[in-house]
Amino acid sequence: MPFEDFNTAQPDPAIEAEIDGLLEELTLEEKVRMMSGHGFHYYFTQVDNRQFGQRAYAAGSGCERLEIEPLYFSDGPRGVRHKEATTCFPVPMARAATFDLDLEERIGRAMGVEARALGVTLSGNICINLLRHPGWGRAQETYGEDPFQLGEFGAALCRGVQTHNVIATVKHFAVNSVENTRFKIDVSIDERTLREVYLPHFKRTLDAGCGSVMSAYNKVNGDYCAHNRQLLTDILKNDWGFKGFVHSDWVLGVHGPDAVEAGLDIENPEGVKFGKRLVAAVNEGEVSEASVDDSVRRILRTQLRFAREPDPQEYSVDHLACEEHVALALEAAEKSIVLLKNEGVLPFDRESLSSLAVIGQLADVENLGDKGSSRVTPPYSVTILEGLRRLVGEHVDILFDDGSDHDRAVAVAENADAVLCVKGFTWREEGEFIPGDEALEDDDPNALSTSGGDRHHLRLKPQDETLIARIGARHPKVAVALVGGSAIMKNAWHMEVGAIAMTWYSGMEGGTAIARVLFGERVPSGKLPFTVPRDADHLPFFDPAALAIEYGPLHGYTKLDAEGIEAAYPFGFGLSYTQFEYGAAEAELADDEIIVRAQVTNTGSLRADEIAQCYVGFPGSEVGRPVKLLRGFERITLDPGASATVSFTLTPRDFAYYDVASKSWRIENIRHAFYVAGSSRTDEDRAAFLDTPAHWPDLSFPA
């Protein structure tokens, strides 16, 4: 990978010398112009009929006199945002459920190819904000609740997209996990929690060579993120040695030219707070020209390094939504589906079923995720109903009812051999919060009404819960396909149905994938990238209207573990059409690393994938550690009756905590527990234990 050392090695001396010359030649006005985007408002209001994401936008750099091209930006997390039809992959939360890093890197490469085909050189596709609470409206854009998994997936997507010399952006830096008040909310957080819980995944992605960072809208400890010197300069640029540039989130991300001194390098999409105001601030001594020069150097360093790397291939519009990329979208959708319950209902059997009732409007609508900045418009999308009809052909009679009339829907269900209820959400109920008077989309008659945002509760709509329970009480063979971007509580109806599958916003081939899994052509293998509690009160406090909130060190499985509460569905949980058994874990020290192993056996009758997970526990910790933390995962394929040994290599850093007093990472001298299991619901009887190696407590890692 050409850029994996971008943030860890010294910058190219030849490029740095070239930048020295450019800085001498550029005027102050030209430097400042490079520190913002240009043309967005014109295209948005005058050309594109207030449609966002119709093109790649000039988003920094650029000097016509010196023949320096601007950077051209496009979102987003599930494909390249553009007026041209591009591949729509499942949302990142669905891809996280695959626990397949190779697949995520291949998806990143596909995004990189399509970006280059459309002239994009800066991509905002890596969203790794931690899911502190599943009610967060933009949960679908990230990879879940665990910092380790977030970092591994962010790094994989980064490696993929940057293979094609597209500068990847990781966002939103940092502590961004409330949507409705994202422009104002102030998050109070202590330094240890910040370093251990909310930042490690960003560092992991940057260590993979990510070239740029997008600041968040919110405040952290009183300062807006774009003006937060602790985040942008002290941690990002000084402690971590980040060599690239920081650009703002769009439209309302910057509040004054002083953001430059805090560490912000580019204001997007236009120079509203920078531009003439920044020139004046430099001339009046409020902002140093040295800070401006540092920003321009970072912009040019990144741009020149990426632009001059040889391209691995040629790019054309023929690559947009091409056969290879669509196949990737299908693979991701198939691997993402999480089977949560199955009492002999699934898989449906085409040979024995003569009819299948499909109940719910969402089965027959395009439902790809929110319609904010992450929206992608593919050339087509396969709905669940279409996927089922294509798969079964004339073998099974598909009886569809949208569920609007409950009595009619129940009657349809009672006349079928089996029932599939499709329930969940759309862009109207969750996603990027688009207030009605600021809506960016007008291709739908209702698009100017407020849409998206945080969820106020984690249940389905009351009428949907009632309908599922009614059908389940009257029919012995009912499966529920849930559509959404995060946890959905099932307390009101889960006992009435025989099978439940989380199918997410599954991309342009989602209907094909869901049909294949439901009818057994693919064995479900997805695992939850978050915890589903038995009671919403078991989660951290969450208020979509909050303007100030305090974040503590525990959430998700770490919170439930600490409080001794069993989850309804634990992190990492997912059933299969076969069964897997885990042997006891073993741990040994080898060359200053700890190797953890366990045997996994397929005890069922089908060849299938399993996702083995490695957790480290900290019994006896005196500094206050979670009960356990994810430190590895591996996706394996096993034939019926076959066994395999999974192995995880852990380094000293995997055991460290942040010591505020010394401003470094330290390791306790305690006995550690090691678990290998199919979810975070681990078994103490199968744990391995190992004392901290004698010299490890003397180790110290930079902040």
Side-chain angles (χ1 to χ4, degrees):
M1 295 293 175
F3 303 110
E4 281 195 303
D5 67 346
F6 180 71
N7 292 311
T8 55
Q10 290 300 312
D12 185 327
I15 289 179
E16 296 301 305
E18 183 178 353
I19 295 171
D20 289 340
L22 290 171
L23 286 173
E24 290 184 3
E25 193 167 352
L26 288 161
T27 67
L28 173 62
E29 288 74 13
E30 287 172 330
K31 294 174 186 176
V32 168
R33 182 174 175 80
M34 295 179 76
M35 295 173 62
S36 65
H38 297 279
F40 172 80
H41 291 149
Y42 165 75
Y43 285 112
F44 182 64
T45 60
Q46 304 298 316
V47 179
D48 295 330
N49 193 30
R50 295 186 62 83
Q51 294 284 295
F52 175 71
Q54 299 300 292
R55 62 190 66 247
Y57 298 107
S61 193
C63 177
E64 186 174 356
R65 181 176 68 86
L66 298 181
E67 298 182 340
I68 300 172
E69 284 289 313
L71 296 167
Y72 285 99
F73 176 86
S74 176
D75 271 308
R78 55 188 148 115
V80 181
R81 181 89 198 253
H82 200 274
K83 62 184 175 183
E84 298 291 339
T86 58
T87 307
C88 182
F89 296 95
V91 293
M93 191 68 80
R95 306 198 310 263
T98 72
F99 282 78
D100 191 331
L101 297 177
D102 174 72
L103 173 60
E104 188 66 6
E105 185 167 335
R106 286 184 282 135
I107 288 172
R109 290 176 187 169
M111 290 181 179
V113 168
E114 296 195 15
R116 288 296 305 279
L118 293 167
V120 174
T121 53
L122 176 64
S123 173
N125 64 342
I126 308 176
C127 181
I128 55 171
N129 292 115
L130 181 140
L131 183 68
R132 174 181 174 270
H133 188 285
W136 179 38
R138 294 177 78 168
Q140 62 190 267
E141 291 188 47
T142 190
Y143 296 109
E145 71 178 42
D146 184 82
F148 179 85
Q149 186 188 18
L150 283 166
E152 293 303 303
F153 268 83
L157 192 65
C158 171
R159 289 191 300 268
V161 71
Q162 292 193 166
T163 296
H164 295 283
N165 304 328
V166 177
I167 302 167
T169 290
V170 62
K171 62 186 185 183
H172 307 84
F173 195 71
V175 198
N176 175 268
S177 56
V178 177
E179 177 63 8
N180 291 12
T181 56
R182 58 183 165 155
F183 298 113
K184 299 179 180 179
I185 190 168
D186 186 6
V187 181
S188 298
I189 187 170
D190 66 68
E191 187 172 6
R192 186 177 169 199
T193 299
L194 178 68
R195 299 269 192 168
E196 290 187 15
V197 182
Y198 289 89
L199 295 187
H201 34 295
F202 283 96
K203 186 176 189 303
R204 174 70 182 92
T205 304
L206 293 170
D207 285 348
C210 189
S212 68
V213 172
M214 179 185 288
S215 60
Y217 288 123
N218 54 282
K219 297 177 183 177
V220 174
N221 293 331
D223 291 325
Y224 285 107
C225 286
H227 297 251
N228 196 305
R229 184 176 180 84
Q230 181 196 19
L231 287 175
L232 302 187
T233 296
D234 297 345
I235 294 175
L236 181 63
K237 295 180 177 180
N238 292 342
D239 290 351
W240 295 354
F242 174 59
K243 305 296 193 301
F245 61 86
V246 182
H247 62 107
S248 73
D249 207 339
W250 285 46
V251 181
L252 298 173
V254 185
H255 300 267
D258 60 299
V260 176
E261 296 286 3
L264 187 75
D265 302 307
I266 296 175
E267 179 188 11
N268 274 321
E270 301 271 5
V272 176
K273 302 298 183 179
F274 283 9
K276 293 180 179 179
R277 297 186 185 189
L278 179 53
V279 171
V282 173
N283 288 331
E284 294 168 10
E286 296 173 2
V287 174
S288 70
E289 190 162 359
S291 295
V292 170
D293 285 352
D294 181 69
S295 292
V296 174
R297 178 178 296 278
R298 288 174 173 277
I299 296 164
L300 289 171
R301 172 191 295 148
T302 312
Q303 183 178 14
L304 295 177
R305 169 74 191 277
F306 277 72
R308 291 175 181 175
E309 194 72 28
D311 286 331
Q313 66 176 71
E314 294 183 353
Y315 306 96
S316 78
V317 292
D318 292 338
H319 292 113
L320 304 180
C322 64
E323 183 177 347
E324 178 186 355
H325 296 173
V326 171
L328 268 181
L330 175 59
E331 179 185 351
E334 290 174 346
K335 289 181 173 179
S336 73
I337 295 170
V338 182
L339 184 61
L340 297 172
K341 179 179 181 179
N342 191 25
E343 296 178 345
V345 172
L346 296 175
F348 295 134
D349 183 2
R350 272 184 288 185
E351 301 304 318
S352 62
L353 282 184
S354 61
S355 60
L356 173 67
V358 179
I359 308 297
Q361 180 189 17
L362 296 186
D364 194 32
V365 296
E366 180 182 270
N367 195 10
L368 302 175
D370 83 44
K371 293 191 177 183
S373 58
S374 72
R375 184 183 188 184
V376 173
T377 53
Y380 69 87
S381 67
V382 182
T383 67
I384 295 176
L385 186 63
E386 183 180 0
L388 290 167
R389 285 176 169 161
R390 286 183 183 179
L391 182 69
V392 302
E394 298 179 355
H395 296 283
V396 181
D397 189 13
I398 301 293
L399 310 174
F400 173 67
D401 188 278
D402 67 8
S404 57
D405 183 314
H406 283 200
D407 291 337
R408 185 188 65 216
V410 170
V412 170
E414 288 179 325
N415 287 323
D417 293 337
V419 183
L420 175 67
C421 293
V422 181
K423 296 294 180 181
F425 307 112
T426 71
W427 61 282
R428 296 194 182 282
E429 290 84 37
E430 62 177 359
E432 186 168 353
F433 182 56
I434 308 293
D437 60 351
E438 297 178 15
L440 302 182
E441 311 292 344
D442 63 2
D443 61 340
D444 183 285
N446 300 309
L448 293 181
S449 61
T450 297
S451 63
D454 301 309
R455 285 190 283 155
H456 290 265
H457 59 80
L458 302 181
R459 299 170 57 175
L460 294 174
K461 298 173 184 176
Q463 62 267 31
D464 291 338
E465 292 189 329
T466 299
L467 181 57
I468 293 172
R470 281 188 64 184
I471 292 174
R474 288 166 172 78
H475 203 293
K477 200 166 186 176
V478 178
V480 178
L482 293 172
V483 181
S486 183
I488 297 174
M489 302 284 287
K490 309 160 189 68
N491 305 27
W493 51 267
H494 75 103
M495 295 297 293
E496 303 292 344
V497 301
I500 306 171
M502 187 69 190
T503 66
W504 317 101
Y505 300 110
S506 51
M508 61 186 294
E509 280 287 345
T512 305
I514 293 165
R516 288 182 177 182
V517 170
L518 294 179
F519 275 89
E521 291 199 357
R522 299 290 187 272
V523 179
S525 59
K527 303 269 189 161
L528 289 176
F530 49 71
T531 303
V532 182
R534 295 180 182 273
D535 189 314
D537 290 340
H538 298 160
L539 297 168
F541 172 77
F542 182 77
D543 177 10
L547 296 178
I549 192 169
E550 182 175 356
Y551 282 7
L554 301 176
H555 69 285
Y557 72 85
T558 62
K559 185 175 186 296
L560 269 63
D561 280 353
E563 297 172 0
I565 298 172
E566 186 174 345
Y569 302 95
F571 174 88
F573 176 82
L575 300 174
S576 174
Y577 292 153
T578 188
Q579 297 81 42
F580 297 95
E581 287 188 0
Y582 283 77
E586 299 175 354
E588 66 173 344
L589 180 66
D591 297 327
D592 217 27
E593 297 173 334
I594 291 179
I595 312 299
V596 183
R597 300 183 182 90
Q599 188 176 78
V600 184
T601 302
N602 182 347
T603 60
S605 59
L606 297 172
R607 175 182 170 88
D609 288 1
E610 169 64 348
I611 298 162
Q613 301 151 51
C614 178
Y615 296 85
V616 176
F618 308 90
S621 171
E622 296 183 358
V623 299
R625 307 295 301 275
V627 173
K628 61 179 176 290
L629 290 171
L630 181 71
R631 284 296 180 260
F633 51 85
E634 183 178 352
R635 189 180 183 102
I636 58 173
T637 304
L638 290 174
D639 290 322
S643 298
T645 297
V646 291
S647 179
F648 304 92
T649 301
L650 309 183
T651 68
R653 190 67 183 256
D654 290 318
F655 299 82
Y657 70 94
Y658 186 74
D659 180 53
V660 176
S662 66
K663 294 191 177 298
S664 66
W665 293 82
R666 313 286 305 190
I667 301 174
E668 284 186 282
N669 185 15
I670 59 174
R671 170 157 285 199
H672 289 92
F674 301 89
Y675 311 89
V676 179
S679 76
S680 64
R681 188 176 286 160
T682 53
D683 185 349
E684 286 289 333
D685 293 337
R686 297 186 179 183
F689 295 88
L690 201 64
D691 291 336
T692 302
H695 67 288
W696 280 17
D698 296 327
L699 299 176
S700 177
F701 307 96

